[in-house]
Amino acid sequence: MKLDVNSNSYTFLFASVLVIIVAALLSIAATSLKSRQDMNVAMEKKQNILMSLGMTVSREEAEERYYDIIQQELVLLDGKVQDGTVTAFDINMADEVKKGVDSRQLPLYIAKFEGANSYIVPLRGKGLWGPIWGYVALESDLSTVRGATFGHKTETPGLGAEISTPIFQDQFAQKRIMEGGEFVSIEVRKGDANGDHQVNGISGGTITSVGVDDMLKDCLKGYTTYFDRQKSAEIKVEEPIIKESTIQDSTMVSDEKLAIL
Amino acid sequence: MSEVKTEIEKIVTEPLFSKKNRQLMSSPLNDDNPITVQVLGICSALAITVKLEPAIVMSISVLFVLAAGNVIISLMRNLIPSRIRIIVQLVVVASLVILVDQVLKAYVYDVSKQLSVFVGLIITNCIIMGRFEAFALANTPWKSFLDGIGNALGYAWILIAVAFFRELLGSGTLFGIQIVPLTWYINPQTGEGFYANNGMMLLPPMALITVGIIIWIQRARNTKLIENA
């Protein structure tokens, strides 16, 4: 029997069979590779967090050294530390930034690296074509930037994608996000950046640069309440406690204090 | 059945790399280049030639998708209903690309990050659909495979040539390594130096102009391409 490949019923049959085969093939591929992909993503996140401190680590090294360096992972809600239910590392920033600043669950990573405490804040925002993200490491004064890393999903290579290169990221070191106790963020501007609160944007990547600027303002803002409390708590706690124990303990003490407050 | 028989005979009698088969691979490199002669796949040629590295990654991905897709379409060519053939082609390209992307994400995560935006661009690459439609639907799998490799290489060398000039003149680097000596650059503080990168090269219009220059040179040298007035 000669098959009529142009009959209606054959066309339907062919399309259905093709779609089922393709769907099965792709779902098998997706599910069987999922665990490896998730592992890669988690390792990359750890790598990014450590790189914001100024470390250069491969993904594998990041996996090994992460828990040596990161002392605490806090979840903040409206400036207060939350206990238990969610782990900071698993919080999806993409969902959190859609909420109002007051109702966001914000992760804060406290690292001890090269003898000093650093507070690492995750960022999430919009670039030109898709999401952009990053991590900013603040020194223990909770204002001076120790380092920053940025990532993006689909920014244009050579233009917006340059935000994830050292040329752009290195500018952030030693900039300050606070001025006289007020939050001012760091401006990403077109040329002539100077002073403590400005960096140069990427030429040809204006919209991505503006995205980074907005992301910094939007995400850092959520932490200022906590930082303010942290600072005033430190003043109240005074020297003795800090002297005896590590700085990490002092933050824990002030966290407890905050919980009581 | 007779159809199959003659086909088998043809395969048996024709050597794998006959002159005709070799031409399938060589003509897309010059006389029948998908970018400079057929002017297909221009969109991705503009988008990803700012730097050499993504251009090469893109070329390899297109090579795989085009060769594998051509073979799959060619194997199915007598079964595909002609009314839905474009959709079938699209399904084949899209699934191949997704498959490649998933595998890269799991095993070579860094390369997959390089590809990021280009995965989608492979699906929309006119060369792939063009070859499926014009060649694979009417030819045997082996020939389609060679045709796929040839066209992908034709696409690749133009892409790499354009990316070479754009990265060198636009950023002063190749593969991200500084080529133009840093001492040549004009120093805004001291006013020394005489060189500045051409920022225009980073923008899409200059990719078009670079491709145009390549077409110009190619047409000037290759008499076959000169149309009779």
Side-chain angles (χ1 to χ4, degrees):
Chain A
M1 188 187 79
K2 182 90 176 88
L3 192 66
D4 178 13
V5 295
N6 285 317
S7 71
N8 283 346
S9 51
Y10 178 80
T11 306
F12 273 113
L13 186 76
F14 183 87
S16 319
V17 171
L18 182 76
V19 168
I20 291 168
I21 293 174
V22 166
L25 208 66
L26 290 185
S27 12
I28 291 169
T31 43
S32 59
L33 296 172
K34 182 125 195 349
S35 61
R36 274 195 80 94
Q37 292 171 355
D38 289 347
M39 197 181 75
N40 282 334
V41 171
M43 275 161 78
E44 193 197 15
K45 187 172 178 181
K46 286 175 184 165
Q47 184 192 21
N48 284 336
I49 291 174
L50 293 186
M51 277 166 71
S52 70
L53 288 167
M55 294 175 74
T56 36
V57 284
S58 70
R59 278 206 313 281
E60 288 74 18
E61 285 166 7
E63 178 77 21
E64 286 168 23
R65 298 188 59 189
Y66 182 76
Y67 290 104
D68 296 341
I69 288 162
I70 302 298
Q71 308 286 322
Q72 261 187 303
E73 293 177 341
L74 303 178
V75 181
L76 308 178
L77 181 69
D78 198 17
K80 295 192 188 77
V81 178
Q82 300 284 295
D83 319 317
T85 51
V86 266
T87 41
F89 194 78
D90 296 331
I91 289 178
N92 186 354
M93 281 301 286
D95 297 334
E96 298 303 318
V97 290
K98 286 181 198 141
K99 302 177 192 165
V101 176
D102 296 341
S103 49
R104 287 179 193 169
Q105 287 191 311
L106 299 169
L108 178 69
Y109 306 93
I110 301 177
K112 196 168 167 60
F113 181 56
E114 290 174 351
N117 263 24
S118 292
Y119 295 77
I120 301 164
V121 175
L123 309 169
R124 176 92 185 184
K126 286 194 205 81
L128 172 59
W129 305 114
I132 52 176
W133 55 85
Y135 294 90
V136 172
L138 300 173
E139 288 178 1
S140 48
D141 67 351
L142 295 172
S143 168
T144 311
V145 175
R146 187 189 166 102
T149 55
F150 297 98
H152 63 91
K153 182 154 191 202
T154 46
E155 297 310 296
T156 322
L159 303 174
E162 296 288 298
I163 58 165
S164 54
T165 60
I167 301 164
F168 181 71
Q169 293 168 1
D170 290 350
Q171 297 183 86
F172 283 84
Q174 300 310 311
K175 301 284 170 184
R176 289 188 293 123
I177 62 163
M178 313 288 269
E179 186 64 59
E182 292 289 310
F183 172 64
V184 286
S185 184
I186 294 166
E187 187 192 358
V188 181
R189 55 172 293 142
K190 228 175 208 175
D192 299 330
N194 60 46
D196 286 341
H197 305 289
Q198 291 178 349
V199 294
N200 283 317
I202 307 277
S203 38
T206 307
I207 297 178
T208 313
S209 303
V210 171
V212 173
D213 185 78
D214 291 343
M215 173 170 78
L216 284 163
K217 277 199 187 74
D218 180 53
C219 293
L220 289 170
K221 194 171 59 193
Y223 290 86
T224 48
T225 337
Y226 174 77
F227 289 167
D228 287 345
R229 288 182 192 183
Q230 192 75 357
K231 274 184 203 160
S232 48
E234 261 171 34
I235 294 163
K236 272 181 220 159
V237 169
E238 285 175 4
E239 290 304 309
I241 291 168
I242 303 173
K243 200 175 72 188
E244 275 303 310
S245 52
T246 62
I247 310 174
Q248 181 215 335
D249 292 334
S250 87
T251 59
M252 280 169 71
V253 168
S254 40
D255 290 340
E256 280 163 18
K257 268 202 147 230
L258 282 171
I260 298 161
L261 290 171
Chain B
M1 278 313 275
S2 61
E3 221 176 282
V4 179
K5 219 175 184 180
T6 49
E7 214 170 78
I8 292 169
E9 271 167 20
K10 235 196 267 171
I11 294 167
V12 172
T13 49
E14 198 179 344
L16 280 183
F17 287 101
S18 65
K19 192 166 178 249
K20 240 164 114 194
N21 281 354
R22 269 182 285 137
Q23 216 159 35
L24 285 176
M25 279 183 74
S26 62
S27 82
L29 295 180
N30 187 1
D31 296 349
D32 207 12
N33 190 285
I35 295 186
T36 59
V37 180
Q38 299 174 31
V39 198
L40 291 174
I42 284 287
C43 351
S44 58
L46 301 191
I48 61 141
T49 48
V50 177
K51 291 239 143 75
L52 257 177
E53 203 178 331
I56 289 173
V57 175
M58 178 69 163
S59 303
I60 295 169
S61 321
V62 167
L63 184 79
F64 171 79
V65 172
L66 190 49
N70 252 359
V71 170
I72 293 171
I73 290 287
S74 171
L75 285 171
M76 299 198 300
R77 71 187 183 283
N78 295 325
L79 299 172
I80 300 173
S82 62
R83 273 177 297 178
I84 58 163
R85 66 182 195 285
I86 301 282
I87 300 171
V88 172
Q89 291 162 15
L90 201 61
V91 169
V92 170
V93 191
S95 11
L96 275 175
V97 169
I98 295 170
L99 208 61
V100 170
D101 185 41
Q102 294 285 338
V103 171
L104 291 183
K105 258 192 201 141
Y107 291 98
V108 263
Y109 191 67
D110 298 302
V111 176
S112 120
K113 279 183 66 189
Q114 274 289 323
L115 265 170
S116 61
V117 67
F118 316 131
V119 175
L121 284 174
I122 299 174
I123 302 177
T124 59
N125 194 322
C126 329
I127 297 170
I128 294 179
M129 294 285 282
R131 290 332 288 171
F132 286 3
E133 176 76 7
F135 197 91
L137 272 179
N139 286 283
T140 56
W142 172 245
K143 282 194 166 144
S144 304
F145 177 74
L146 292 178
D147 177 77
I149 299 274
N151 274 281
L153 289 177
Y155 171 78
W157 86 257
I158 299 289
L159 220 62
I160 292 167
V162 175
F164 175 83
F165 288 111
R166 285 184 78 190
E167 185 171 353
L168 185 63
L169 300 177
S171 313
T173 59
L174 287 177
F175 293 107
I177 299 161
Q178 192 70 34
I179 297 292
V180 178
L182 285 169
T183 48
W184 287 13
Y185 285 95
I186 297 166
N187 185 326
Q189 264 95 46
T190 59
E192 284 167 13
F194 57 90
Y195 186 83
N197 286 330
N198 184 348
M200 264 287 272
M201 290 303 283
L202 298 176
L203 302 174
M206 282 311 286
L208 206 56
I209 291 171
T210 316
V211 172
I213 293 172
I214 293 177
I215 294 177
W216 180 19
I217 296 171
Q218 192 191 13
R219 292 206 167 226
R221 298 175 61 95
N222 190 339
T223 45
K224 269 187 244 165
L225 297 175
I226 300 169
E227 290 92 349
N228 294 322

